[in-house]
């Protein structure tokens, strides 16, 4: 009876925006997405080779992370001096001017959240891809999902662009090497997020857990 | 089987709850077997929490727009700049597209976001059952665009680090930036606390009532 009910539940899915109960499709066809017929929420999308692609893009993003955060994004040529600014030096400047809460919010949204997300996701994809049973996978993946609202690298880039336009009248602005790393980091991070198929990851995590306990699937 | 999948009933009416993290279906309350999250039919205390963060955001919204967010000093002369003054400066320089971007991201988005959340909350309180789908779409727009208000904070961050030439030219942060930061974070948290399924519960209730 209980098993029967579980099987029924396995074949269903529920839209978490309007609570509509739907039949789960066996697979999503290529270039297709499944929307909720009642409220139009995107429920599933086709993501080919999700594991490999997520793994590669996450690693690429991690490679560019440190240069993107610490190397100068912009140089200025003003009154014969040439100051430069990186993501980190901006946060330090806010801290030195005693705007601690702003400094913390910028630190979280432009450094900590994106960095933690990449580290956590690479941990999960590495383990699933190579079949290594690392500890705490489910908790790590949950933490990754929780952080998704708080990484704002793409918004930082737009902010940077606006700053350049603000400064261009009063000084000569030169692009720094940090900016190229930053754009590479952003691209790789966006690709990693788009390749990541959450329902697939949960299925694999469940299988991973089941095999460690030596239970039949 | 088929009677469940084509039932217009909500999952809660069928005693099915969805895991917030992994979207696995769970019978009744309890913990998700897959990820061990405590599963609820609806987000706990959704309305109270959404209101609390929203009211805090409204309190910070006024200083965020009236108090300067930065202080630009050129050759010893200071000119504090609020967000609106920054927008006007861009218009005077002929950078209309940038002026529009800043105005939309920093003034319009936070304002509309607050108005939209108040509207959604009131519609649940007073059980306005119509246009449930449009309200859900409104929520998704609020959720998506809210983070873009951070643009101005990042502009301040970049400028503060870059323009530090002692007496010649310097840019300092001002209290408005803190208030603005709080508005963005508080409205984001407020939106995360809101549960769109409450809108559909009212719709379900009202259609049940009509049939009787
Ligand atoms: Zn839906
Ligand atoms: Zn779960």
């Amino acid at each position: 009876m209980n098993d029967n009910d579980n099987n029924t539940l396995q074949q269903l899915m529920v839209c978490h925006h309007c609570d509509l109960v739907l039949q789960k499709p066996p697979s999503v066809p290529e270039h297709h997405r499944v929307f909720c017929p009642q409220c139009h929420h995107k429920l599933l999308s086709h993501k080919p080779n999700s594991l490999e692609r997520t793994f590669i893009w996450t690693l690429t993003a991690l490679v560019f992370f440190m240069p993107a955060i610490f190397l100068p994004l912009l140089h200025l040529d003003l009154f014969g001096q040439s100051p430069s600014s990186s993501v980190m030096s901006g946060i330090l400047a806010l801290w030195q001017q005693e705007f601690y809460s702003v400094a913390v919010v910028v630190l979280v949204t432009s450094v900590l959240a994106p960095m933690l997300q990449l580290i956590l996701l690479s941990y999960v994809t590495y383990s699933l891809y190579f079949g290594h049973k690392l500890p705490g996978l489910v908790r790590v993946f949950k933490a990754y999902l929780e952080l998704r609202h708080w990484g704002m690298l793409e918004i930082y880039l737009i902010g940077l662009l606006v700053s350049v336009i603000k400064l261009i009248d009063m000084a000569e602005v030169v692009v720094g090497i940090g900016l190229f790393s930053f754009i590479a980091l952003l691209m790789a991070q966006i690709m990693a997020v788009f390749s990541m198929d959450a329902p697939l990851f949960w299925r694999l995590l469940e299988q991973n857990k089941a095999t460690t306990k030596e239970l039949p699937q | 089987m088929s009677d469940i999948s084509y039932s217009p009933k909500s999952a809660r009416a069928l005693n099915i709850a969805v895991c917030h993290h992994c979207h696995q279906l769970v019978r009744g309350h309890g913990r998700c077997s897959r990820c061990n999250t405590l599963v609820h039919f609806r987000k706990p205390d959704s309305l109270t929490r959404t209101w609390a963060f929203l009211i805090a955001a409204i309190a910070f919204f006024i200083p965020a727009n009236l108090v300067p967010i930065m202080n630009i000093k050129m050759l010893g002369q200071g000119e504090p700049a609020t967000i609106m003054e920054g927008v006007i400066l861009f218009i005077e320089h002929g950078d209309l597209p940038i002026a529009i971007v800043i105005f939309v991201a920093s003034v319009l988005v936070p304002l509309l976001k607050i108005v939209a959340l108040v509207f959604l909350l009131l519609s649940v309180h007073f059980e306005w059952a119509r246009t449930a789908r449009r309200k859900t779409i409104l929520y998704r727009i609020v959720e998506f665009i809210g983070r873009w208000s951070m643009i101005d904070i990042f502009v301040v961050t970049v400028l503060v680090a870059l323009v530090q030439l002692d007496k010649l030219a310097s840019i300092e942060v001002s209290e408005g930036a803190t208030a603005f930061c709080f508005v963005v974070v508080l409205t984001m948290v407020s939106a995360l606390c809101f549960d769109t399924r409450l809108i559909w519960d009212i719709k379900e209730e009202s259609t049940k009532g009509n049939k009787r």
Side-chain angles (χ1 to χ4, degrees), chain A residues 15 17-18 20 36 38-41:
Chain A
C15 171
H17 268 187
C18 71
L20 181 71
C36 169
Q38 186 167 261
C39 79
H40 254 271
H41 185 52

Side-chain angles (χ1 to χ4, degrees), chain B residues 15 20 112 136:
Chain B
N15 199 31
H20 166 69
L112 289 180
T136 315

Side-chain angles (χ1 to χ4, degrees), chain B residues 50-127:
Chain B
T50 311
W51 271 122
F53 287 109
L54 189 60
I55 289 167
I58 293 169
F60 282 111
F61 184 76
I62 299 149
N65 282 281
L66 296 180
V67 179
I69 59 163
M70 59 184 162
N71 215 333
I72 303 166
K73 283 185 184 153
M74 285 291 271
L75 299 167
Q77 288 194 312
E79 67 174 291
T82 61
I83 291 170
M84 266 320 284
E85 281 162 356
V87 172
I88 292 162
L89 208 66
F90 273 125
I91 296 172
E92 282 170 356
H93 282 229
D95 290 318
L96 199 59
I98 299 299
I100 292 169
V101 168
I102 294 291
F103 179 71
V104 170
S106 308
V107 183
L108 220 52
V109 165
L111 184 67
L112 289 180
K113 200 175 163 180
I114 289 170
V115 171
L117 282 170
V118 168
F119 168 71
L120 289 174
L121 283 166
L122 290 180
S123 82
V124 174
H125 277 288
F126 295 109
E127 305 188 353

Side-chain angles (χ1 to χ4, degrees), chain A:
Chain A
M1 181 59 213
N2 207 352
D3 275 355
N4 199 355
D5 187 51
N6 251 337
N7 282 337
T8 314
L9 284 187
Q10 291 282 309
Q11 290 168 42
L12 298 175
M13 59 180 188
V14 170
C15 171
H16 53 278
H17 268 187
C18 71
D19 225 22
L20 181 71
V21 183
L22 292 149
Q23 195 109 45
K24 198 188 275 178
S27 67
V28 185
E30 222 167 301
H31 308 300
H32 273 68
R33 287 174 293 179
V34 177
F35 290 93
C36 169
Q38 186 167 261
C39 79
H40 254 271
H41 185 52
K42 189 173 78 190
L43 296 171
L44 300 168
S45 37
H46 176 76
K47 293 182 174 179
N49 306 327
S50 174
L51 205 51
E52 293 90 327
R53 289 176 61 209
T54 312
F55 189 51
I56 289 164
W57 285 119
T58 324
L59 288 189
T60 314
L62 276 173
V63 167
F64 286 107
F65 200 89
M66 289 300 155
I69 298 303
F70 287 101
L71 294 182
L73 300 164
L74 295 176
H75 299 274
L76 211 60
D77 196 351
L78 188 64
F79 302 118
Q81 300 186 44
S82 58
S84 65
S85 132
S86 67
V87 175
M88 233 24 219
S89 73
I91 295 164
L92 282 177
L94 291 173
W95 189 268
Q96 276 157 8
Q97 294 193 15
E98 297 178 359
F99 281 81
Y100 303 120
S101 46
V102 185
V104 168
V105 171
V106 175
L107 182 71
V108 168
T109 54
S110 63
V111 181
L112 290 184
M115 184 174 72
L116 262 177
Q117 270 195 301
L118 289 173
I119 292 171
L120 298 178
L121 189 58
S122 61
Y123 183 80
V124 174
T125 39
Y126 167 82
S127 158
L128 293 177
Y129 188 62
F130 291 104
H132 288 194
K133 288 175 181 53
L134 299 172
L137 283 179
V138 166
R139 220 171 296 162
V140 167
F141 193 55
K142 262 163 77 171
Y144 162 79
L145 291 175
E146 279 291 298
L147 282 169
R148 70 187 181 284
H149 303 282
W150 302 103
M152 302 189 184
L153 292 176
E154 73 280 19
I155 304 167
Y156 197 103
L157 189 66
I158 304 295
L160 202 68
L161 202 76
V162 173
S163 316
V164 171
I165 294 161
K166 251 186 196 307
L167 291 167
I168 217 149
D169 282 342
M170 60 185 220
E172 189 137 343
V173 185
V174 184
V175 167
I177 40 168
L179 187 61
F180 296 108
S181 310
F182 193 91
I183 292 170
L185 162 67
L186 181 59
M187 291 300 167
Q189 190 238 12
I190 290 172
M191 287 309 291
V193 171
F194 272 98
S195 330
M196 205 275 295
D197 183 355
L200 172 79
F201 272 57
W202 280 117
R203 270 202 309 281
L204 293 173
L205 284 171
E206 200 169 31
Q207 282 170 16
N208 186 297
K209 206 167 70 179
T211 46
T212 40
K213 282 180 190 162
E214 303 288 331
L215 289 171
Q217 280 182 28

Side-chain angles (χ1 to χ4, degrees), chain B residues 11-193:
Chain B
R12 182 169 67 173
L14 299 164
N15 199 31
I16 299 172
V18 196
C19 172
H20 166 69
H21 276 110
C22 72
H23 300 171
Q24 175 161 269
L25 307 188
V26 179
R27 273 282 176 209
H29 284 286
R31 285 193 179 272
C32 169
S33 63
R34 185 152 66 178
C35 72
N36 204 33
T37 307
L38 194 58
V39 178
H40 306 277
F41 284 115
R42 300 289 176 263
K43 290 181 188 173
D45 299 323
S46 171
L47 293 179
T48 322
R49 289 183 197 182
T50 311
W51 271 122
F53 287 109
L54 189 60
I55 289 167
I58 293 169
F60 282 111
F61 184 76
I62 299 149
N65 282 281
L66 296 180
V67 179
I69 59 163
M70 59 184 162
N71 215 333
I72 303 166
K73 283 185 184 153
M74 285 291 271
L75 299 167
Q77 288 194 312
E79 67 174 291
T82 61
I83 291 170
M84 266 320 284
E85 281 162 356
V87 172
I88 292 162
L89 208 66
F90 273 125
I91 296 172
E92 282 170 356
H93 282 229
D95 290 318
L96 199 59
I98 299 299
I100 292 169
V101 168
I102 294 291
F103 179 71
V104 170
S106 308
V107 183
L108 220 52
V109 165
L111 184 67
L112 289 180
K113 200 175 163 180
I114 289 170
V115 171
L117 282 170
V118 168
F119 168 71
L120 289 174
L121 283 166
L122 290 180
S123 82
V124 174
H125 277 288
F126 295 109
E127 305 188 353
W128 300 331
R130 301 169 84 196
T131 63
R133 180 203 285 225
R134 258 185 260 167
K135 280 181 212 145
T136 315
I137 293 171
L138 176 68
Y139 173 80
R140 285 200 284 271
I141 294 170
V142 165
E143 201 187 24
F144 177 76
I145 60 172
R147 39 201 272 116
W148 284 93
S149 313
M150 279 295 283
I151 288 181
D152 249 342
I153 295 297
F154 292 138
V155 171
V156 172
T157 310
V158 173
L159 292 182
V160 161
L162 209 48
V163 189
Q164 288 304 338
L165 303 172
D166 297 325
K167 283 164 194 159
L168 294 172
S170 73
I171 294 179
E172 282 160 12
V173 207
S174 178
E175 276 71 22
T178 310
F180 193 82
C181 226
F182 285 150
V183 172
V184 181
V185 172
L186 288 168
T187 48
M188 278 180 71
V189 176
S190 172
L192 287 177
C193 291

